[in-house]
Amino acid sequence: MKIEQSVVNIFAQQRIRTILVAMLMLTLTALAGCEGQAWNNPHPAAESGGNIIYSAFSERPKHLDPARSYSSDEARFIDQIYDPPLAYHYLKRPYQLIPNTLTAMPRVVYTDAAGNEVSAGAPQLAYSTYYFELQQGIRYQPHPAFARDENGDFLYRFGHAAEAAAYHSLANFKESGSRELLAGDYIYQLKRLADPSLLSPVRGLLSQYIDGMSEFSAAVSEAHDSLPDGQWLDLREIPFAGAQQSDDYHFSIRLKGKYPQFSYWLAYHFFAPVPWEADAFYHQPGLAQRNITLDWYPLGSGPFMMTRNNPNEVIVLEKNPNYRADFYPAEGEPGDEQRGLLDDAGKRVPLLDKAVYRLEKESIPFWTKFLQGYYDRSGISSESFDQAVKIGSEGVSLSEDMEARGVTLEKEVVLGTYYLAFNMLDPVVGDTGTRRERERKRKLRQAIAIAYDQQESLSIFYNGRGEVAMSPIPPGIFGYQSGREGINPYVFDWQDGRAQRKPLDEARRLLAEAGYPDGRNAVTGEPLVLNLDTTTAGGGTSAAQNWMIKQFRKLNIQLNIRGTDYNRFKEKMSTGNAQMFQWGWLADYPDAENFLFLLYGPNGQVVSGGSGVNSTNYNNQDYNRLFEQMQLMENSPQRMAIIRRMLAIVQKDTPWASAWHPHSYILNNHWVSNTKAHGISKSVLKFVAIDPQARADAQQTWNKPVLWPLLLVAALLALLSVPGVRAYRRRQQRRIVTD
Amino acid sequence: MLAYIIRRLFYAIPILIGVNLLTFALFFMVNTPDQMARVQLGDKHISADAIEEWKSQRGYDKPLFLNTADDSGGLLTDTIFYEKSLRLFVFDFGKSDEGRVIGEDILERMWPSLALALPTFIVGILVNIIFSLFIVMFRASLFDTAAMIFCVALMSISGVFYIFAGQYFFAKLWHLVPISGYLGGLDAVRFLVLPVIIGVISGIGGGTRLYRTLFLEEAGKDYVRTARAKGVSELAVLFRHILPNGLIPILTSVVVVIPSLFMGSLLMESFFGIPGLGSYTLNAIWAQDFAVVRSMVFLGSVLYIIGLILTDISYTLVDPRVRLS
Amino acid sequence: MIKPVVLWSDVLIFILVAFMAAFFWHLRSRPLTLKRWRSVFHSHTGVASFVVILFYLLIAVTDSLHYRLPLDKIEGSDDVHYSQDVRSLLDDILHDLNSLDETTYSEPFSLYSFAKINMQDDSGGVYRDYPRLASAGSHLQTEEDIHADIVQRSVWGLALGLMISLLIIVPHWLWRRRYAAQSSVPWVTAYLTLAALICLSAWALLLGQVYHIFGTNQVGGDVLYQSIKAIRTGVLIGTLATLLTLPLAVVLGISAGYFRGWVDDVVQYIYTTLNSIPGILLIAASVLLIDVYIETHPDDFQLVAVRADFKFLALCFILGMTSWTGLCRLLRAETLKVSQLDYVHAAQAFGVSHARIIFRHIMPNVMHLILISLVLDFSVFVLAEAVLSYIGVGVDPSMNSWGNMINEARAELSRDPVVWWSVSAAFALMFVLVLAANLFSDRVRDAFDPRFH
């Protein structure tokens, strides 16, 4: 009974309220006391003030192996780590290749079948050989794969999975070592590209060009069969006819025929060096079972090294202490100096100590954190567009709000093309049937191309962040033509100094000529129904779908949108069962060939059994012939003329109803400097610099916690307790009154 | 008791086999291994032998349920189903379709999930009990009615709205907590405060209502009336009699979900960017990563069965009259 | 001539309505159950929420009378062809709402678009400003008239609503005074709720003809129209999910409880297995399966509406699959108890067939369980739809649903300034329905569940 009594007493004496209030005040002062850091800082307190850049990734990288990775999301990481022979100049435009780990650009020698040197244009040309000379003294990042004990033997070499049990991540390996980068490492990586078990996405493509690659693949396959699963196969022991090493700093690669685009591939991480020790290390028993593989823990000689890889949470790159002497470029294109891009000229890079990438699945929280100063750079999503920028007569500029924050805007060139395509094998819209039928179907496609107002779509869904494409080739690539000459004459007219979409009546006329007056089959009267195949993953696309339906309704064509999951969609594409679909292409390298091959007949999805890039299955003999000619040419007026002829063919045939080139804008908080968007190269992090102090100050001022709502809630709760206590007392004292 | 538990565990085996059969049937009706390979290998330049290679590396190059080609007794065993599900029974989840070791991922992502689910669960129960006791104290008054309507109203709001509102006000407008994200260690508290609060609030309506009926049931019993008649104060009745006895049905009813807390919350984790098992599952669904989905289904089933067993055990603990047989 | 289109879900909703009518008719001959139902309708909340639910149901039913319009005939052919658009009766009622098309977001009652676009002034210079909406308020002489116009139309709308309400209520009231015995049903509450709903609808329809009451969405569609169209989805998912799997739960549950032995073992095995699979994963996998089915049978699903409807029904069924086990278990337990009763034993002793015993003696005694679970699950499913749409396994994007609206709201809420109206509209309509359903189910449970007496 004692306990109850005391409980009641406390209530009665109203002491509890005093205590509650006192506790509340205490907590609040305690919270307000930790002034050092804002409450909503998503980064650890220990890192504050560091020379660290913060970014995010939305999809966890699937592959970090330079032989396997083929997406820009992954290139953001590994291109800072791996050092291919060539690189792009950071500031100069148009894009220019420069030697990276080489002493000079590779020397190309053309030979005939017998090995005699011939000129570049000679008809008997059979091989082109690239000779490379490596800089001396380049060293790999510290890594346990190189660690040796006092006898010079490798420290971490396990015979049995049980020995690896103590190691859960790469960080558990305490010792590390390094060694010099040698010519053999480049050849070793080339061999890895050819190894079928590594599933390199470029193996098929490069095998067409590199001498001896297919034979090497076959030999490796055979060697793998005789080895137990998962055991390391020493690729150094298998000869590769097209790749020769003359000494530690010199090697050569021989191509069949001529392939001018090969230099671009040499700037890709596919050709970055990988030491054999890495493969030997990661193939030890027991490691693959713990996600410790080269695919997750890269080992390179580049400016940064990956010190933490938790794709569920954070990926950390740190400065590579062994990085070679590499300097910020001293010259750029005109205007770079005014923009401060040459302020750090000649400084040794990388300028940052660390780069932290956090997992951010959603664009919304990312944008909020950017505004709070917790991320340094951000793209602009359609939701935040009007908040971030305004569009005036002189183009895109920052909004007042952003300018007040000191944010800078950077326009990024995206070398890419997105398109709405017809399947050219389709019986209704494709290029099939008799000559007259094909003519009619072409008119149908042209009519749709006129009606489909790409510009409106861009302004509704992308805030105008893109330009309507006249041809597959985006601006910034040789072959692109702006202005009057460049327009697609089947869809646009040149009026008042700009391209005007042809009137709808023109489309209706074409539609009637195609056999569908007013959207009805001239013979049967049936309404014309077209199918658009899309992927529905994630949902929430009804607005876009309604808009599409509206476009076709302009011509009284009924659009039927068939959404499926991604797997099914790919299946449909590879069997040629789609009718219309949307697709896109981002450049591998800045060359027209990389876009025009999207329509090259032999690349057709169906013809090639699903592996080709020509998803519309467009196949025009004239176009194909010109493509084969153009492919081997260096950029020149002759090449331009051929490209123009090819584009004219495509524009007439209209295999794509519509296309657009995306624009992308990057916002930098005011403490970020040296950023210049590069359409191709991703290995730019080493040039970026930040001012940590300015950032810390801004974070403090932008994130003052607002406390009154907390106080309000506390006050409300306190208020509620008053009538509660009173009611309780009344209840307690209720008496049954009897007479 | 021990014998009972062991027997129940044996009963679990046919159930788990059934679960596996169902997931396999569902998934392979949807996806052929070829399609899975194509998705995993990416968009550009994929050749047919790369697909074959991928399938054999992942063990998808066998028949699904019946291997009629195998003469050496592998009719049932040399199949995808047998090989993949047998491993599950020893909790070897293998590799995800994109190449990560699933077991390691689960071990890692389990902690953020627990860090979110456990406080939400415990604080939720505590708050609900306190609220419902408070309401029971004023039962059959205007306050009771108002509180009940308030609870129903709270229940009628989709959980998504609570998240929208919470993120907008607490994180965006008032800068009190980070809007999303997660850090290990003590730093986690900053990130968990808001989701836990939201989780608790969205559960208040249903929980309070349920507990109130349970407490009321107890309050109507004879011994309570006797106590009150003796002149025991209202608070004492509440805390000495109603609370302890009302707690029994509450606790036995929540035991079943405790093991499943591991699985995390799909919605909360994905909205708040918490790298737990809930968002892991969701990502796997989006990516159609069958290996992960299969593992999570299996894990979920195991945890559910454990929950059932725990419930039975908890009955015997609180009520000695119940015997397990 | 129009061509009626009967979707599978239409059939089911009419069966549902018929079933409900038959049920209440049947009640007249069962005084005991009738008494319990009376107690449901004795409370104010019970009556008011029932009226609200009926109102939603009515909208759903009008939205389930589908048809296709014929296309104009072309010369030289007598064949009649029909539009691919499947419309419903509700579309005709809401025609004015749906015909106000804008290009993108606009605020409620606004005359201007919410997003700036590039415009050219008279001298050809480009500037960026909010464009005037194409159709909202186009009847106004000057923009200043808008407030007066809104007030005027509101008054008219309310007056119209009151008149319609009186037309319905007064005859009923008179009839009741003449013929019906004194009842304890709070009819005044019912009348007030009904009048409020009718007035609100009349007001919304009248104003919606010329303004966007709830604004417009990203592609300029009227949000009010969308959220009203979503009612059918919400009501159907709430009811069909339980109904579609009801036969399964009833047959298995009762047979397990009645026959016991191996039947019981099998049934228990089935529901434990299904129950142990995390619901969301089961749903996700099954929805993918449906996609594949549709994909491989394109000829059966020529119309978007038919395809969406099939997907929707499948979703309902799968949702039901994740929840029928609960009911099944309850039925099994209750049947176990009931079949121990003396009169069941007596019937068995007299050699009455199993089927007869089950239908005559067991079913009536477990009916209340079915009913309670039906009403209890209703609001759960309506809420679940929103979450499923977020995960990407919800209803087809071509179908209007609150889930799809909420899903889109995520992006809208992060805009600055915030686009709040779409999510608010979905919230309001959904909240009213779920609240009504919850309150009603409370009453039903109080009346039928012995534990809650």
Side-chain angles (χ1 to χ4, degrees), chain B residues 305-323:
Chain B
I305 291 167
I306 294 176
L308 288 183
I309 298 175
L310 285 182
T311 309
D312 285 351
I313 296 172
S314 70
Y315 276 124
T316 60
L317 292 183
V318 294
D319 189 348
R321 283 170 306 177
V322 180
R323 287 263 178 281

Side-chain angles (χ1 to χ4, degrees), chain A residues 507-613:
Chain A
R508 294 202 184 97
R509 189 181 60 77
L510 283 167
L511 191 64
E513 287 175 19
Y516 301 99
D518 202 25
R520 309 280 295 277
N521 187 317
V523 183
T524 64
E526 273 177 73
L528 175 59
V529 183
L530 294 181
N531 296 306
L532 177 83
D533 292 281
T534 58
T535 56
T536 49
T541 50
S542 60
Q545 295 198 356
N546 286 334
W547 182 85
M548 299 272 285
I549 291 170
K550 264 195 205 168
Q551 299 307 305
F552 285 80
R553 201 177 284 153
K554 286 184 199 163
L555 295 179
N556 258 335
I557 299 175
Q558 316 213 6
L559 184 70
N560 188 1
I561 297 179
R562 301 190 290 206
T564 53
D565 64 294
Y566 191 62
N567 290 8
R568 213 84 36 231
F569 179 71
K570 293 205 89 167
E571 176 91 9
K572 259 191 195 173
M573 294 298 299
S574 61
T575 51
N577 279 328
Q579 191 168 51
M580 297 176 67
F581 54 91
Q582 289 168 303
W583 204 266
W585 180 259
L586 292 174
D588 290 323
Y589 42 81
D591 189 80
E593 181 256 2
N594 201 236
F595 284 92
L596 294 175
F597 80 157
L598 297 176
L599 293 166
Y600 177 53
N603 280 344
Q605 276 265 320
V606 175
V607 186
S608 63
S611 69
V613 288

